[in-house]
């Protein structure tokens, strides 16, 4: 029997979360309807919580296909995670498999069209990434913003330092920083130091194999610095400790502009600054192996499963720093 109603969260702004119940219409051509089994909270959602959002937020989605629109040849029951950039599929970047570089990108799911803090979500079929049978959805969602983004950043970095480095510094041990720590070894990083002012996050990073950095003041220490905080102080740290010939990978996001220091030292520092965005769908297959290796440990240390009705509390504790990666998990998926 087709479900006709669905509960979804709305963010009106100023930190409020409301719920409404909608009647679901037919699925649009080329789209699929997912029952949302898992939707992880992301640090970037905190901005929407403050500003409000015209669409249903939530962009780290894992679910099960319950209905398909015309032109979609996917069996119901397919388990999948959702690729958030609604790429065109035909521009020269998409044709080359670089879907995260789509030249006609207009929408991100959970940002410009409805996302996953709901019982159901409709998404374009091309944004579905089917999940292998041996990977649980609660692990698979970490293949998006946590491991997918981390692995792509490291692949991009490998192009400038193909021989790898003995030791890197990760600045910021939120979920993405912890994702970087978990998979760095697979990309030629011998060992990882980590810096984070939050003791709990730092302890998690150490449990995942990193070493707490002791000196963040001396210049020219690291050949690779991955800045995953977005805080101005973290960006300044990254630029200070990177050695000439090294690379700063900029993954942190904030509302502040990214600044290049107007200092003699920075003018004389010959290095790479790398900005990456998400990951191309062409990398997903290889990322399942990363998740088979480190996904369960990451999930067990990061995520807290909660019900959709708990979303306001989940965000309160997420903002307070009590939860690293709360995940809304449906009854069926627990
Ligand atoms: Zn995110
Ligand atoms: Zn495109």
């Amino acid at each position: 029997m087709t479900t006709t109603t669905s509960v979804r969260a709305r963010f009106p702004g100023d930190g409020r979360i409301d719920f409404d119940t909608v009647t679901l219409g037919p699925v649009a051509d080329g789209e699929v309807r997912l029952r949302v089994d898992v939707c992880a909270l992301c640090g970037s959602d905190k901005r929407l919580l403050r500003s409000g959002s015209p669409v249903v937020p939530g962009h780290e989605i894992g679910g099960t296909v319950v209905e398909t629109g015309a032109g979609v040849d996917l069996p119901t029951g397919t388990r999948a995670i959702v690729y958030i950039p609604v790429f065109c599929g035909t521009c020269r970047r998409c044709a080359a498999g670089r879907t995260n570089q789509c030249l006609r990108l207009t929408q991100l799911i959970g940002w410009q069209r409805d996302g996953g803090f709901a019982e159901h979500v409709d998404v374009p079929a091309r944004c579905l990434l089917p999940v292998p049978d041996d990977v649980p959805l609660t692990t698979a969602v970490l293949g998006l913003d946590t491991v997918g983004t981390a692995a792509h950043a490291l692949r991009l970095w490998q192009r400038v330092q193909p021989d790898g480095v003995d030791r890197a510094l990760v600045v910021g041990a939120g979920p993405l920083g912890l994702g970087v720590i978990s998979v760095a070894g697979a990309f030629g990083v011998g060992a990882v130091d980590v810096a984070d002012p939050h003791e709990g996050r730092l302890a998690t990073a150490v449990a995942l194999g990193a070493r707490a950095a002791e000196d963040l003041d001396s210049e020219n220490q690291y050949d690779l610095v991955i800045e995953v905080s977005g805080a101005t102080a973290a960006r300044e740290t990254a630029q200070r400790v990177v050695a000439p010939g090294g690379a700063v990978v900029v993954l942190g996001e904030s509302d502040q502009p990214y600044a290049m220091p107007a200092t003699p030292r920075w003018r004389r520092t010959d290095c790479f600054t790398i900005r990456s965005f998400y990951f191309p769908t062409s990398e997903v297959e290889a990322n399942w192996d990363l998740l088979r290796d480190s996904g369960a440990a990451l999930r067990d240390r990061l995520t807290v499963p909660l019900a959709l009705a708990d979303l306001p509390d989940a965000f309160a504790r997420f903002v307070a720093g009590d939860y690293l990666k709360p995940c809304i998990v449906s009854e069926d998926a627990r």
Side-chain angles (χ1 to χ4, degrees), residues 87-91 94 102-104:
F87 57 99
C88 76
T90 55
C91 73
C94 286
C102 175
L103 301 172
R104 294 195 203 106

Side-chain angles (χ1 to χ4, degrees), residues 77-111:
T78 299
R79 298 179 325 128
I81 52 175
V82 176
Y83 188 79
I84 64 168
V86 183
F87 57 99
C88 76
T90 55
C91 73
R92 67 179 197 274
R93 291 283 191 268
C94 286
R98 299 179 175 189
T99 50
N100 61 326
Q101 299 172 358
C102 175
L103 301 172
R104 294 195 203 106
L105 181 65
T106 52
Q107 291 187 319
L108 301 179
I109 293 167
W111 294 89

Side-chain angles (χ1 to χ4, degrees), residues 17-92:
I17 297 176
D18 298 336
F19 293 94
D20 62 15
T21 303
V22 288
T23 301
L24 298 173
V27 182
D29 295 358
E31 299 199 353
V32 301
R33 178 161 297 154
L34 289 179
R35 179 189 73 213
V36 178
D37 294 315
V38 186
C39 188
L41 278 65
C42 177
S44 61
D45 291 324
K46 295 173 188 171
R47 293 208 303 272
L48 294 178
L49 194 61
R50 285 194 301 271
S51 66
S53 171
V55 301
V56 176
H59 60 264
E60 300 185 30
I61 307 166
T64 305
V65 175
V66 292
E67 213 179 321
T68 55
V72 178
D73 186 22
L74 258 179
T76 56
T78 299
R79 298 179 325 128
I81 52 175
V82 176
Y83 188 79
I84 64 168
V86 183
F87 57 99
C88 76
T90 55
C91 73
R92 67 179 197 274

Side-chain angles (χ1 to χ4, degrees), residues 219-220 239 242-246 261-271:
E219 296 172 345
N220 306 342
Q239 291 167 332
V242 70
T263 59
R265 187 257 166 183
W266 189 249
R267 276 184 218 119
R268 295 167 199 159
T269 299
D270 184 75
C271 72

